[in-house]
Amino acid sequence: MAENHRLAHLRRFGERNSGASETEGHYDVRRGAAAYAPIVGAFGALAVPTVTVLFTSAHPGKKILVTLATGLLVVAIIASLTGSVGLAAIGAERDETANLPPAVMYLAVAIVVEIVSVLAAFEVLAAIHVRSARPLFASITAVGGLAGVYFTSFAVGDSHGTGPRHPRIRRAWVKEQWVQDQKDAYAKANRLAAIGSVPIFAAVLVRIFIGHFKPNNGSVYTLVGVGLALAMAGVFLGVQRTAHALTNEDQKGLRGYEAYSTTVAASLYTAALILFLP
């Protein structure tokens, strides 16, 4: 009898820990953000020496390209510094509340702008010094944008694990959320990544089979200005989204328009860079 009881206990324990009755494993967005913050800051700091070289080098007849490369690098510096501070703020959160995944997605816009701006600046430098390398660096910019879109959509994957912990409150709260369960979260994340990749692939195909726009003063100022605006908007909205629910208020989880607007904004900016790079 004792042996049978022990086997029954082990069987129940195995079922409980095998994942048969509940989902195991969860990505903690706070720890991820805290780990990303110094990486993001360091990546942007690498652009400073390049800006110095551009300002101290003579490039006769290449003023527009030098302006574009310098502007993109400055955008990357600002986006990285402000984005890393925003990520560090999320890493300092004590509780894994439902507002943190959308906050990360807003901040991810600034980080994607930083990444593709640096890569695009390298393409412009290639156009100045090694024109035959332009297709290679344009492709690298596209790959960087795709990676950024994927990691932005990744925040949706485990967003279901955040929110109220009390079982009764959580059941009522989940019914009002965009993400209903873990399976739904992963499906939405994959769909978001696919949709966000479309503008980038379209821009690459246009560049290959039709051509690209020649940069001029107007397009240069527009690309740099839009990059700054997206980075600042992403950081501002991300920090604002970390605001905690007040007493007797429901936590504000991720909304569909937040997920799609952040991912598509990053994707469209990457596509614009691909089309306007020299």
Side-chain angles (χ1 to χ4, degrees):
M1 289 292 294
E3 181 65 18
N4 291 337
H5 178 74
R6 187 177 70 86
L7 291 175
H9 172 74
L10 289 175
R11 189 178 298 112
R12 289 195 300 270
F13 179 83
E15 290 175 355
R16 188 165 59 248
N17 289 273
S18 64
S21 59
E22 60 180 307
T23 302
E24 294 183 355
H26 176 66
Y27 176 82
D28 191 332
V29 71
R30 298 166 301 169
R31 296 184 181 182
Y36 298 149
I39 300 173
V40 171
F43 187 77
L46 296 176
V48 176
T50 311
V51 173
T52 304
V53 171
L54 282 172
F55 275 129
T56 56
S57 301
H59 301 283
K62 304 290 185 181
K63 290 184 178 180
I64 290 179
L65 296 184
V66 171
T67 302
L68 177 57
T70 305
L72 290 174
L73 290 171
V74 171
V75 168
I77 293 170
I78 295 174
S80 68
L81 293 177
T82 55
S84 62
V85 173
L87 290 175
I90 291 177
E93 289 283 343
R94 185 185 66 180
D95 300 319
E96 196 176 8
T97 51
N99 59 317
L100 296 185
V104 167
M105 296 193 76
Y106 280 120
L107 288 167
V109 174
I111 296 168
V112 175
V113 167
E114 171 206 352
I115 294 172
V116 297
S117 294
V118 170
L119 297 177
F122 290 161
E123 197 277 349
V124 178
L125 293 176
I128 297 174
H129 298 287
V130 192
R131 293 187 63 83
S132 60
R134 289 179 302 161
L136 172 63
F137 282 96
S139 301
I140 292 173
T141 302
V143 171
L146 289 172
V149 166
Y150 172 76
F151 284 116
T152 302
S153 63
F154 181 73
V156 179
D158 273 332
S159 61
H160 178 68
T162 61
R165 297 301 179 190
H166 190 282
R168 181 178 58 81
I169 297 175
R170 183 171 179 81
R171 280 194 298 270
W173 178 82
V174 167
K175 293 178 181 179
E176 305 296 327
Q177 301 306 303
W178 182 58
V179 174
Q180 295 295 307
D181 53 41
Q182 199 69 28
K183 183 178 180 180
D184 183 43
Y186 288 139
K188 282 184 166 66
N190 293 332
R191 189 182 308 119
L192 192 61
I195 293 173
S197 301
V198 171
I200 299 176
F201 280 117
V204 171
L205 292 176
V206 169
R207 186 180 179 95
I208 292 173
F209 294 104
I210 299 177
H212 58 88
F213 298 99
K214 184 178 180 180
N216 53 36
N217 285 329
S219 62
V220 167
Y221 296 154
T222 300
L223 287 173
V224 174
V226 171
L228 281 173
L230 283 176
M232 291 299 94
V235 172
F236 175 77
L237 293 173
V239 173
Q240 288 293 107
R241 201 63 170 83
T242 61
H244 305 130
L246 300 177
T247 305
N248 297 325
E249 284 188 352
D250 290 335
Q251 295 186 30
K252 298 179 181 179
L254 178 64
R255 301 290 187 253
Y257 71 87
E258 293 177 315
Y260 281 97
S261 62
T262 52
T263 306
V264 172
S267 178
L268 289 176
Y269 183 68
T270 303
L273 285 177
I274 294 171
L275 291 177
F276 281 93
L277 287 176

